[in-house]
Amino acid sequence: MATFKSEFQDLAVELISDEFADFRVPFRVFKESDEYDPRTGQSGEPESYDLEAIPLELQDADRIFSNATSDSIYLVALKNGSTVKIDSSYQCELDGVNLAIEIVDNDSADAVWFFRLAR
């Protein structure tokens, strides 16, 4: 039976937004602009995204990331087909604390991002 990406995306929305809503944590991903004009001293617009995220247990993170350890924080965040390309050049804010993003993994259905954050 064939399954469409949109079906996985709908399932991710249902799980993260409804079924696991009590486990969601405030999670913001941001990045200063890559653009800078030295003649004017002007920078481009920074990027910022508020995401719906749920922490992952270490044993679940180990299925996604190689060598998952308790030295990192692991999250799954709703992507839902977004075309934004988030990588380790971004930073994040989790529960009011700024953290570095070590790794971002995308699932093949474009439904969620998996984050590994430095403590």
Side-chain angles (χ1 to χ4, degrees):
M1 178 168 103
T3 304
F4 298 105
K5 280 186 173 186
S6 61
E7 292 174 310
F8 282 110
Q9 292 170 0
D10 292 343
L11 179 61
V13 169
E14 181 181 333
L15 289 173
I16 292 175
S17 299
D18 298 334
E19 299 295 323
F20 293 99
D22 294 340
F23 299 101
R24 286 192 316 224
V25 293
F27 185 59
R28 184 174 65 92
V29 174
F30 59 93
K31 179 179 182 179
E32 296 300 322
S33 174
D34 289 336
E35 300 173 13
Y36 177 73
D37 186 342
R39 293 174 291 143
T40 63
Q42 298 288 324
S43 295
E45 292 295 316
E47 296 178 50
S48 178
Y49 307 100
D50 291 316
L51 304 176
E52 295 183 46
I54 297 173
L56 293 172
E57 296 289 331
L58 188 57
Q59 64 270 18
D60 296 326
D62 197 41
R63 294 182 196 136
I64 300 161
F65 299 99
S66 60
N67 301 322
T69 66
S70 60
D71 293 341
S72 298
I73 298 170
Y74 304 92
L75 298 172
V76 59
L78 187 59
K79 181 177 184 182
N80 199 21
S82 170
T83 58
V84 174
K85 303 291 185 204
I86 296 177
D87 57 28
S88 60
S89 68
Y90 285 75
Q91 298 177 38
C92 67
E93 182 180 306
L94 178 64
D95 288 331
V97 177
N98 285 355
L99 301 167
I101 297 174
E102 294 179 333
I103 300 172
V104 180
D105 193 12
N106 298 291
D107 76 316
S108 58
D110 288 331
V112 295
W113 286 292
F114 296 101
F115 288 91
R116 181 179 187 151
L117 311 177
R119 284 194 189 264

